[in-house]
Amino acid sequence: MTTPRHPSRFAVLATAVCLSHPSAWAVLPTPVAPSTAPAAGDWIGLIEGYIKDGGLVLGLAIAVLGFLWVAYLAFAKFNEARQGKAEWAEVGVLGIVGAIVLIFASYLLTEAAGVI
């Protein structure tokens, strides 16, 4: 039994034949338009829409990281208070200040989403 001399050529040929067949492209989903929905053929508007949506997702990711950071600090301060290294009032102050910071960050992200 002999093996083909150039299996990479066969793979390239098979891929080209499969991709050239119209039914290979029929199963691909249509891309989702950005939230601004520009007119058909407006490539600049389409790119701007995708950048806007990307900025909103980035802002949401930053807000999630801020929430996780405040939660980590709260658990750390709670653990210190249980061990007697910190006062329980510090835990309460951290909770109040952390909530205010998260509410303020959410407000700023909401305003920024309207401006972008």
Side-chain angles (χ1 to χ4, degrees), residues 75-102:
F75 281 125
K77 188 59 74 172
F78 178 78
N79 192 25
E80 288 177 7
R82 282 186 49 206
Q83 294 174 355
K85 296 179 183 176
E87 298 290 326
W88 284 102
E90 294 177 25
V91 178
V93 168
L94 179 67
I96 293 170
V97 171
I100 291 170
V101 166
L102 291 176

Side-chain angles (χ1 to χ4, degrees), residues 49-77:
Y50 282 131
I51 289 173
K52 176 186 175 187
D53 289 349
L56 295 176
V57 169
L58 180 65
L60 180 63
I62 291 171
V64 167
L65 289 175
F67 174 77
L68 292 174
W69 177 64
V70 169
Y72 172 77
L73 289 178
F75 281 125
K77 188 59 74 172

Side-chain angles (χ1 to χ4, degrees), residues 42-55:
D42 183 13
W43 290 99
I44 300 296
L46 184 71
I47 293 169
E48 287 175 354
Y50 282 131
I51 289 173
K52 176 186 175 187
D53 289 349

